Amino acid sequence: MKKIVLFTVFLISLSTQAQDRLFTYTYQSNVLNKGQKELEVWSTLRSGRDNYYRAFDHSMEFEVGLGGKLQTSFYLNYGYSKGIVTSNNIQSLETNNSYSFANEWKLKLTDPVINPIGSALYFEYKLGTDETELEGKLILDKQIGKSTHALNIVGEYEIENKFDPTGNLITVKNEGEFKLEFNYGYAYKLNKNWALAAELMNQNTISGGNWEYSVLSAGPGISYNMNGFWVNLTCMPQITNLKTGNPEFHDSQKLQTRLIFSYVF
């Protein structure tokens, strides 16, 4: 009888909570059931540096469950930014646009409700106009009553194309960069639809054998889901650069705000 009850709970958790996300930056181990499809829309606002800076990153993701606790997805990404840069005491307005395509694979290993801890492996390949990225994640999570904890350990290798003018010629240099990221999320379900969350993110960059920075950000979030639809919002201000004790505004910013909404069909 006990085995039947556990099996029933397991099936319910798969069917009703297959992909309901509670966080925007931190991933959970759940995957779509076989044949399920999901469309996600992402928008991230990044703002604030020493001078004026504002950037938007948008993604549209199509996910499909393949069965065997495996899912895959395809992303179309577009980003643009505008900011004031200073060179040789001269300020200028710099605008950048980026386009990329990504393919993600996620394999669920254990369940966050039935097993002592939930876990999943994640791999993503991204090809952009000026960079190529390979990313892997170890996803750990646990659901206890109304509380959910999630931890991600992320490794990313990025090859960036640098365009340097040399006289009348433009040369292209490929520069490799390794990033190590840790994400932690905690969420508390207020009821069947609403949840409050908090996320913490530590981003580290290693380039040319040098540890450049270790940015720590943290902030609150809110989540709403109903009948296969969910929407999450998180505000993530930068706290400090753990390496120097001062904020890092060369590659990072004062505030990130991310909105994701999705529908499973």
Side-chain angles (χ1 to χ4, degrees):
M1 182 66 183
K2 183 178 179 180
K3 292 182 177 179
I4 295 175
V5 172
L6 289 174
F7 182 69
T8 302
V9 172
F10 178 69
L11 290 179
I12 292 173
S13 68
L14 285 178
S15 61
T16 62
Q17 299 180 357
Q19 190 66 352
D20 290 342
R21 287 185 59 173
L22 298 173
F23 311 106
T24 57
Y25 291 88
T26 310
Y27 281 65
Q28 297 164 249
S29 63
N30 289 334
V31 297
L32 295 172
N33 298 326
K34 183 177 181 179
Q36 276 189 309
K37 302 174 183 66
E38 184 170 13
L39 186 66
E40 292 185 8
V41 178
W42 303 44
S43 287
T44 304
L45 168 64
R46 298 181 287 114
S47 61
R49 290 184 176 176
D50 288 331
N51 296 308
Y52 175 83
Y53 178 80
R54 183 171 295 171
F56 282 94
D57 301 314
H58 302 298
S59 295
M60 181 171 289
E61 177 185 7
F62 175 73
E63 298 182 343
V64 59
L66 302 177
K69 301 181 181 180
L70 179 67
Q71 75 174 38
T72 188
S73 64
F74 303 91
Y75 291 80
L76 294 176
N77 306 303
Y78 171 58
Y80 51 96
S81 64
K82 182 176 290 187
I84 297 174
V85 296
T86 302
S87 178
N88 298 323
N89 295 321
I90 298 176
Q91 288 189 335
S92 60
L93 187 63
E94 184 177 80
T95 301
N96 291 305
N97 298 292
S98 63
Y99 306 86
S100 64
F101 166 82
N103 177 219
E104 162 199 311
W105 294 83
K106 184 178 176 186
L107 175 64
K108 180 178 178 178
L109 303 176
T110 55
D111 188 81
V113 178
I114 304 302
N115 300 116
I117 191 168
S119 61
L121 297 176
Y122 173 105
F123 174 76
E124 179 183 315
Y125 171 80
K126 181 187 291 185
L127 181 64
T129 52
D130 56 0
E131 63 184 11
T132 302
E133 295 179 9
L134 298 174
E135 180 182 307
K137 281 187 176 80
L138 173 61
I139 301 170
L140 304 172
D141 61 351
K142 182 61 182 176
Q143 183 177 332
I144 306 173
K146 295 182 178 181
S147 296
T148 298
H149 300 264
L151 174 68
N152 298 169
I153 302 173
V154 187
E156 177 186 311
Y157 184 70
E158 177 183 302
I159 302 173
E160 185 175 1
N161 300 321
K162 295 284 189 179
F163 300 90
D164 297 324
T166 304
N168 295 324
L169 300 175
I170 296 179
T171 60
V172 181
K173 297 179 180 180
N174 295 326
E175 296 186 358
E177 189 174 73
F178 179 73
K179 296 181 180 180
L180 181 63
E181 183 175 313
F182 302 93
N183 295 284
Y184 170 74
Y186 171 77
Y188 183 81
K189 296 278 286 186
L190 300 175
N191 51 48
K192 67 178 182 178
N193 301 118
W194 291 94
L196 294 178
E199 292 189 74
L200 183 146
M201 177 170 61
N202 174 225
Q203 297 170 301
N204 300 269
T205 295
I206 301 169
S207 181
N210 298 316
W211 181 34
E212 295 188 349
Y213 58 77
S214 179
V215 173
L216 181 66
S217 305
I222 190 168
S223 173
Y224 175 81
N225 72 83
M226 181 183 68
N227 297 330
F229 168 81
W230 55 261
V231 56
N232 297 339
L233 176 67
T234 301
C235 295
M236 188 85 77
Q238 182 181 156
I239 298 174
T240 188
N241 178 358
L242 295 176
K243 182 182 178 183
T244 64
N246 298 311
E248 202 289 319
F249 294 141
H250 182 265
D251 292 322
S252 300
Q253 51 284 314
K254 296 179 181 179
L255 176 67
Q256 296 185 57
T257 302
R258 177 172 292 174
L259 174 71
I260 308 178
F261 61 89
S262 174
Y263 183 73
V264 179
F265 56 96

